Amino acid sequence: MVNELGAEFVIANLKLAEPGSPAEQSVILADPAGGAVSKLIWSTRTRGSDALATISPAVTTMLILLTLIMMGVVVTAWANLRATMRSQKEAEHAATHDFLTGLPNRASLLATPLSDDKTLRMQPDVCVVFLDLDGFKDVNDTHGHFAGDRALLGCTAGFSHIAAGNGLLARVGGDEFAFLTTGPDAQRTGRKVAEQFIEFLKEPLKTPKGDLRLGTSVGIASGCSKDTTIHELLRRSDIAMYEAKKLGGNRIAYYDANIDAKMQERASLTHHLREALAAEEITVAYQLIVDSATHQPKGVEALARWTMFDGRVIRPDVFISLAEEGGLIETLGAYVLRRACVDALAWPDFILSVNVSPVQFKNPRFDEMVGQVLAEIGFPASQLELEITERHLMVEPDIALAAMWRLKERGVTIALDDFGTGYSSIGYLRTFPFDRLKLDRSICADITSNTNVQQLVQGTIAIARSMGLKVTAEGIEDEFQAKFLRLAGCEFLQGFYFNRPMPADEIRPKVLEGA
């Protein structure tokens, strides 16, 4: 009954107890005589304790969850921080290192401090070795870029072994490396390392595609750390490297101030050439080509000429090479062709010969440019003869052959110029659709005094004529040469013996006079 009362009236711990039992709350139960028989006891209840008892399980659970969440946040933040730091290091490494070889890149090389020594040095104590792989483009073109990458990795392994402990090796371009060394023996160390680089590449590189053979052209520049920057030394060594390439490659060249002066002069000439082309200041002279039997004019060769604003006459071999290097050759070539075709309209019976650069010939739309010029001017394609050299054929023979056939389809004839220099391969005459062979002036000059050359020239003319080619000899300077070549079967002659190059307005009087 007591338990039911406690539950009904929500009294905590309601129960019967002995009259003398201690209790927080109690009521004495007495008999009719007033004597204590027992007593009811219970626990005191408050609103706070009730509420606490009700919510304490939920609060405990929430606190545990909150603690776990905070621990997760801390762990995640720490992981993100470490990932960010790792990414930052990777980004810094990527910004200063080459992705393929793992070597420091150009930016890393340029950021290298030269010296912490505060004393003034009077001797060169910084040396930069710049090297470019010879034949690397052929590896890429022949075997693919995968083989090229393997070759770079092989070079990196060898170069790194050589450079270890001597200085900093960096990859500064596609197939270009640079080595930086400092200290009193910098020049000697640089030279020694450069020689070892060349020696290393004398052995073929082993790759899955087979053995690959490469060489390297090396340029070396030295200076004092107090008055020279790495950027400047890198530029100088790069210039020296190109000198090594010009000398045939696979060798060392040292920077010289004269090289810089020549480059600055060439840069200045290139600038003036660009201005001269824009102002149409390039002129065209013409040298007559005569019949070997009658010495009557049968054609002209167009020759570009350039006289600068200060009166200096720049040789054609100089400004044509400048145009090729400076990206102006197509502009120059198109200008000369157009000008020559306009002038040659006045000589309807003449063949007009125009020289073409190998750079122009590589342009797959070169024949379209020629056709457009002929159509605009109204010059007959059958009267135009384009002269090319062996350089056109040796570099990319398939491209040259396709270009020649496209030109012949337009009615243009093609001559092999400067035959007798370079390889002078008879195979070219059989493979390529030439219409004319032009003997170089260097071989014609020896006719007078060298019987072996005379036999060589006679044989060459006989071979050319057996193939149906017309033959023109250049550089004729005396009567003996003219007579000998005529008797040997050469049909056309050209040289100072007949006339020097002249402006277009002097050609017509020469024709009327019978040259």
Side-chain angles (χ1 to χ4, degrees):
M1 183 182 295
V2 171
N3 289 337
E4 291 176 357
L5 287 172
E8 183 177 355
F9 292 99
V10 194
I11 300 174
N13 299 322
L14 179 65
K15 60 183 178 179
L16 288 173
E18 294 294 330
S21 299
E24 294 180 20
Q25 301 291 335
S26 64
V27 173
I28 298 297
L29 298 179
D31 58 16
V37 178
S38 181
K39 68 177 179 180
L40 290 172
I41 63 174
W42 66 90
S43 299
T44 305
R45 296 188 63 180
T46 63
R47 294 180 180 179
S49 61
D50 290 345
L52 179 61
T54 303
I55 67 172
S56 59
V59 170
T60 302
T61 303
M62 291 177 63
L63 288 174
I64 294 173
L65 290 174
L66 183 60
T67 302
L68 293 174
I69 292 172
M70 291 300 297
M71 290 177 63
V73 170
V74 171
V75 170
T76 302
W78 174 249
N80 289 339
L81 178 61
R82 294 196 61 181
T84 300
M85 294 175 64
R86 184 169 58 254
S87 297
Q88 183 178 356
K89 289 182 179 179
E90 291 174 353
E92 291 174 353
H93 185 274
T96 57
H97 288 74
D98 176 59
F99 74 96
L100 176 64
T101 63
L103 291 174
N105 59 15
R106 180 185 292 267
S108 179
L109 179 70
L110 295 176
T112 304
L114 286 180
S115 175
D116 294 329
D117 187 358
K118 301 302 181 183
T119 60
L120 180 63
R121 292 184 184 272
M122 301 303 295
Q123 299 297 324
D125 61 351
V126 184
C127 180
V128 173
V129 178
F130 195 104
L131 55 151
D132 181 273
L133 299 179
D134 298 332
F136 181 74
K137 183 178 184 299
D138 294 336
V139 170
N140 270 341
D141 293 344
T142 304
H143 302 287
H145 289 281
F146 176 76
D149 289 346
R150 300 299 297 179
L152 286 174
L153 291 173
C155 291
T156 299
F159 293 165
S160 297
H161 178 75
I162 295 170
N166 293 312
L168 174 66
L169 177 69
R171 183 188 178 197
V172 295
D175 59 346
E176 297 173 338
F177 296 82
F179 170 75
L180 169 68
T181 184
T182 60
D185 295 329
Q187 284 182 307
R188 183 180 64 81
T189 301
R191 182 174 62 253
K192 178 183 176 182
V193 168
E195 291 171 349
Q196 291 177 339
F197 286 159
I198 293 177
E199 190 67 25
F200 168 72
L201 286 178
K202 287 184 178 179
E203 295 295 326
L205 296 172
K206 306 291 184 181
T207 72
K209 293 288 187 178
D211 291 351
L212 301 178
R213 292 192 175 273
L214 296 171
T216 181
S217 299
V218 183
I220 298 179
S222 303
C224 300
S225 60
K226 295 302 180 183
D227 57 11
T228 308
T229 64
I230 297 180
H231 191 282
E232 176 61 17
L233 286 178
L234 190 65
R235 185 190 70 83
R236 294 177 182 179
S237 60
D238 190 8
I239 292 172
M241 182 274 294
Y242 278 105
E243 285 297 307
K245 277 196 177 295
K246 290 179 182 178
L247 295 174
N250 209 38
R251 66 187 66 217
I252 299 173
Y254 296 87
Y255 172 79
D256 186 283
N258 291 330
I259 300 176
D260 234 353
K262 291 178 181 177
M263 288 194 65
Q264 291 176 4
E265 181 182 4
R266 289 180 70 84
S268 175
L269 284 175
T270 302
H271 171 72
H272 291 306
L273 177 59
R274 182 175 284 105
E275 292 182 338
L277 283 170
E280 297 187 353
E281 295 174 354
I282 303 298
T283 59
V284 180
Y286 301 92
Q287 187 172 36
L288 291 173
I289 300 172
V290 303
D291 184 283
S292 62
T294 65
H295 293 185
Q296 292 296 311
K298 297 298 180 181
V300 291
E301 180 179 355
L303 303 167
R305 295 290 184 263
W306 181 26
T307 301
M308 290 185 60
F309 58 89
D310 57 2
R312 281 189 297 163
V313 177
I314 310 300
R315 299 197 318 271
D317 60 321
V318 173
F319 71 79
I320 288 175
S321 67
L322 288 175
E324 290 178 340
E325 294 172 8
L328 301 173
I329 190 62
E330 296 205 48
T331 303
L332 174 61
Y335 171 79
V336 171
L337 176 63
R338 185 179 298 275
R339 178 71 177 273
C341 288
V342 169
D343 291 339
L345 287 174
W347 318 314
D349 299 326
F350 277 14
I351 294 296
L352 171 64
S353 294
V354 179
N355 292 280
V356 178
S357 163
V359 178
Q360 290 176 272
F361 224 58
K362 289 181 181 179
N363 185 347
R365 304 188 65 178
F366 174 67
D367 64 297
E368 296 180 16
M369 184 276 291
V370 173
Q372 182 178 358
V373 170
L374 294 177
E376 290 178 0
I377 296 173
F379 190 79
S382 58
Q383 287 182 236
L384 176 63
E385 183 173 80
L386 299 180
E387 298 184 8
I388 66 175
T389 65
E390 289 178 282
R391 280 201 305 158
H392 298 71
L393 313 177
M394 293 174 59
V395 179
E396 293 176 328
D398 293 338
I399 293 178
L401 182 61
M404 291 174 69
W405 280 116
R406 289 196 298 269
L407 288 166
K408 290 184 71 68
E409 288 173 359
R410 293 179 180 272
V412 177
T413 57
I414 301 174
L416 178 58
D417 196 16
D418 297 339
F419 194 82
T421 62
Y423 289 99
S424 300
S425 172
I426 301 298
Y428 289 148
L429 303 180
R430 297 177 56 192
T431 305
F432 297 91
F434 290 108
D435 301 284
R436 184 186 301 272
L437 175 68
K438 298 194 73 171
L439 295 175
D440 186 69
R441 64 182 66 251
S442 62
I443 193 172
C444 294
D446 294 333
I447 290 176
T448 306
S449 58
N450 193 322
T451 56
N452 290 332
V453 173
Q454 291 177 2
Q455 294 175 4
L456 176 63
V457 169
Q458 288 174 326
T460 301
I461 293 173
I463 291 173
R465 296 193 64 177
S466 70
M467 294 180 176
L469 303 180
K470 298 177 182 178
V471 181
T472 299
E474 298 179 299
I476 308 305
E477 296 184 354
D478 57 46
E479 183 180 1
F480 177 84
Q481 293 174 347
K483 183 176 181 180
F484 176 87
L485 288 163
R486 176 178 63 82
L487 295 175
C490 183
E491 300 162 278
F492 301 95
L493 305 175
Q494 178 181 351
F496 289 170
Y497 178 66
F498 303 103
N499 54 77
R500 291 180 177 272
M502 63 190 81
D505 56 6
E506 296 182 18
I507 293 291
R508 176 53 59 182
K510 288 287 183 181
V511 174
L512 296 177
E513 294 170 7

